[in-house]
């Protein structure tokens, strides 16, 4: 068994890379173990862009966390001297009675977040790329934008490693055990067994198979990202004038999009709701005609200039909880093991702050951040 560590982090994707970074800032002896190479495309954190926004329609409880996440992304950017976040402004579009708009307004009002509410006519001159129905409105927030996920992960890993974190790639964890006394864990890979005082499990869509004994209902769903060549006016999708958006139509699934992240790139769109259940080993990575039909029927009449040929498409996985809120909590039997899972397709923007929270839990078994909404015990039958 190799010399003891303070904390072992299993899975160095979005959440694990940020956790290793925050632990390394606290001068902790940290070991990070990852099954694949840094910033790989087999989990949930690839595809060039992830939306970040503040007026959180899902629940106002996320707002303080996302504000802290912005601060931490900025700190990371300064430390690594490389851009990770681009502000484009953001639109949430839908009927004023539906959850997207009412939820954004609720969060914005509770936390005094700057925003504009635009009707279909105002949208036509301010953002002519979008064709709203007469009964739809758009909630606009200036501070929304997108993160570069692969770059964020690499920055977290690079800065953690510079501070002495021991990060090992292409070394999947096969099993782990925790002592009943509440202190100490053993983690075994093909190469060896490691010992530490605490363990953080941040294995994304592999959660259900990695922690099968814990009764938390987490499922995985297949998602497809499409990069489309605009049918006309490609410059209208430039990040300087095309904001990130989420659209909740009265009929059909919620969908989202991001501008071109590079001069020679194309805008990206995807469907947020629905999706076929899968596992990381059964996911169908081949893009089919149904996938393309779904995205075309979402955008055809709503963003007509975007409905051009597919330049690229890729699959990815959401790890869902039944209420679509995260799980960030101690293992129900082992307080020295922290679990981060079920980010339900909206977790990336928080990964900087989730890393900070998980390093609190690993070091002190408590955090000053309010994570009551993410308790694992909410799923336990009383
Ligand atoms: C198409 C798509 C679009 C999205 N859009 C947004 C968005 O716009 N905004 C937003 O905030 N969020 C978005 N999300 C959600 C966000 O990307 C995820 O919530 C987040 O990336 C999850 O991070 P994670 O660390 O849990 O998982 P991952 O980043 O997948 O990390 C898990 C890691 O664990 C490793 N691992 C697994 N098993 C083992 C093992 N046995 N040993 C060692 N390592 C192991 C894996 O290799 C992987 O690297 C989107 C997700 C998808 C799929």
């Amino acid at each position: 068994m190799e010399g003891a560590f303070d904390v072992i982090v299993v899975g160095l994707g979005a959440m694990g890379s940020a956790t290793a970074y925050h632990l390394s800032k606290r001068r902790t002896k940290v070991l990070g173990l990852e099954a694949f190479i840094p910033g790989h495309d087999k989990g949930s954190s690839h595809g060039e862009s992830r939306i970040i926004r503040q007026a959180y329609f899902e629940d106002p409880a996320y707002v303080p966390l996302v504000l802290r996440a912005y601060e931490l992304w900025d700190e990371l950017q300064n430390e690594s001297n490389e851009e990770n976040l681009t502000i484009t402004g953001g639109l949430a579009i839908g009927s004023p009675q539906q959850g997207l708009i009412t939820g954004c307004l609720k969060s914005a009002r509770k936390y005094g977040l700057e925003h504009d509410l635009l009707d279909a006519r105002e949208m036509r001159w301010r953002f002519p790329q979008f064709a709203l129905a007469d009964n739809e409105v758009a909630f606009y927030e200036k501070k929304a934008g997108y993160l570069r996920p692969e770059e964020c992960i690499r920055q977290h890993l690079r800065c953690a490693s510079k501070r002495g974190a021991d990060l090992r790639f292409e070394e999947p964890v096969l099993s782990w055990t925790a002592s009943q006394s509440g202190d100490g864990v053993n983690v075994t890979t093909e190469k060896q067994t490691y010992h530490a005082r605490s363990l953080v499990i941040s294995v994304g869509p592999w959660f259900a198979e990695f922690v099968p004994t814990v009764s938390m209902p987490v499922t995985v769903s297949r998602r497809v990202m499409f990069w489309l060549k605009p049918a006309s006016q490609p410059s209208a999708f430039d990040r300087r004038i095309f904001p990130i958006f989420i659209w909740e139509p009265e009929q059909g699934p919620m969908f989202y999009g991001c501008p071109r992240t590079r001069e020679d790139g194309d805008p990206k769109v995807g469907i947020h709701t629905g999706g076929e259940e899968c596992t990381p080993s059964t996911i169908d990575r081949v893009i089919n005609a149904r996938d393309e039909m779904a995205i075309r029927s979402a955008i055809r009449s709503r963003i007509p200039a975007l409905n051009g040929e597919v330049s690229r498409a890729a699959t990815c996985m959401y790890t869902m909880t039944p209420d679509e809120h995260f799980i960030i909590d101690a293992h129900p039997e082992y307080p020295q093991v922290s679990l981060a899972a079920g980010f339900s397709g909206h977790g990336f923007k928080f990964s900087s702050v989730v890393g900070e929270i998980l390093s609190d839990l690993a070091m002190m078994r408590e955090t000053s951040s309010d994570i009551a909404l993410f308790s694992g015990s909410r799923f336990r039958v009383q």
Side-chain angles (χ1 to χ4, degrees):
M1 192 179 305
E2 194 169 309
F5 291 89
D6 293 322
V7 185
I8 296 175
V9 180
V10 181
L12 297 175
M15 308 303 163
S17 61
T19 307
Y21 168 74
H22 284 281
L23 286 166
S24 73
K25 272 177 92 170
R26 297 175 194 192
R27 301 183 190 283
T28 304
K29 201 167 173 223
V30 55
L31 170 68
L33 294 166
E34 166 56 49
F36 300 108
I37 57 169
H40 65 85
D41 64 358
K42 296 176 178 60
S44 297
S45 301
H46 55 283
E48 291 177 17
S49 54
R50 288 291 185 270
I51 290 173
I52 180 162
R53 54 195 159 85
Q54 298 190 344
Y56 226 68
F57 73 89
E58 291 88 339
D59 196 297
Y62 287 91
V63 175
L65 296 176
V66 84
L67 296 179
R68 177 68 183 144
Y70 271 81
E71 287 173 4
L72 292 170
W73 289 122
D74 196 42
E75 273 177 38
L76 182 66
Q77 203 159 246
N78 290 339
E79 185 173 342
S80 56
N81 241 336
E82 307 226 29
E83 195 178 291
N84 55 31
L85 193 160
T86 305
I87 298 293
T88 58
L91 289 165
I93 303 172
S95 130
Q97 286 82 37
Q98 281 178 283
L100 177 62
I101 299 293
T102 58
C104 287
L105 286 169
K106 189 171 169 192
S107 280
R109 285 175 186 147
K110 178 157 183 188
Y111 287 98
L113 302 172
E114 210 183 308
H115 66 277
D116 295 321
L117 198 59
L118 308 171
D119 63 21
R121 193 182 47 85
E122 288 167 307
M123 278 293 286
R124 274 195 283 279
W125 63 262
R126 221 165 135 185
F127 297 106
Q129 301 94 327
F130 300 89
L132 273 63
D134 287 341
N135 66 340
E136 286 181 314
V137 295
F139 175 100
Y140 177 71
E141 57 172 305
K142 241 188 350 214
K143 293 188 178 148
Y146 64 87
L147 291 151
R148 298 169 191 268
E150 294 89 348
E151 181 56 31
C152 293
I153 291 174
R154 272 188 222 109
Q155 288 180 10
H156 273 137
L157 294 174
R158 216 181 303 128
C159 294
S161 169
K162 249 201 262 164
R163 286 206 173 83
D166 185 344
L167 307 178
R168 304 188 186 189
F169 296 90
E170 299 181 277
E171 188 171 346
V173 171
L174 303 177
S175 63
W176 60 275
T177 56
S179 85
Q180 292 293 345
S181 71
D183 199 19
V185 294
N186 288 325
V187 172
T188 302
T189 71
E190 260 172 19
K191 295 191 177 153
Q192 55 195 300
T193 294
Y194 304 93
H195 180 75
R197 292 183 54 208
S198 347
L199 173 64
V200 173
I201 297 179
S202 49
V203 293
W206 285 266
F207 182 78
E209 56 201 62
F210 196 76
V211 200
T213 52
V214 80
S215 80
M216 293 178 190
V218 168
T219 56
V220 176
S221 101
R222 173 183 179 272
R223 302 289 149 161
V224 182
M225 301 172 273
F226 280 97
W227 286 260
L228 299 177
K229 281 208 175 310
S232 59
Q233 302 172 292
S235 60
F237 298 94
D238 191 280
R239 60 184 183 266
R240 282 172 283 267
I241 52 172
F242 188 73
I244 63 93
F245 71 90
I246 305 177
W247 201 317
E248 181 181 35
E250 273 181 349
Q251 307 284 324
M254 190 183 279
F255 64 102
Y256 63 88
C258 285
R260 309 195 296 193
T261 57
R262 291 175 279 118
E263 290 301 321
D264 60 345
D266 289 309
K268 184 178 103 174
V269 280
I271 304 276
H272 180 60
T273 47
E276 293 149 35
E277 207 170 307
C278 66
T279 69
S281 43
T282 64
I283 180 172
D284 183 359
R285 299 277 184 189
V286 179
I287 314 300
N288 60 51
R290 254 181 310 128
D291 296 324
E292 191 175 333
M293 226 155 61
I295 199 66
R296 293 217 182 272
S297 74
I299 62 162
R300 188 177 295 118
S301 61
R302 298 185 178 102
I303 317 176
L306 184 51
N307 196 23
E309 72 186 68
V310 174
S311 69
R312 186 155 88 84
T315 55
C316 191
M317 289 174 279
Y318 281 6
T319 309
M320 306 297 295
T321 62
D323 58 10
E324 300 184 15
H325 295 308
F326 311 157
I327 296 169
I328 305 175
D329 204 350
H331 189 287
E333 285 163 54
Y334 308 111
Q336 71 272 43
V337 178
S338 306
L339 307 174
F343 289 93
S344 302
H346 61 114
F348 196 90
K349 65 184 78 59
F350 295 95
S351 53
S352 56
V353 67
V354 170
E356 184 174 62
I357 292 168
L358 287 170
S359 67
D360 288 345
L361 296 181
M363 296 299 293
M364 301 175 302
R365 299 195 184 173
E366 60 181 11
T367 177
S368 55
S369 297
D370 184 357
I371 55 167
L373 187 63
F374 311 138
S375 147
S377 64
R378 71 187 190 273
F379 304 116
R380 265 174 240 145
V381 183
Q382 301 300 320

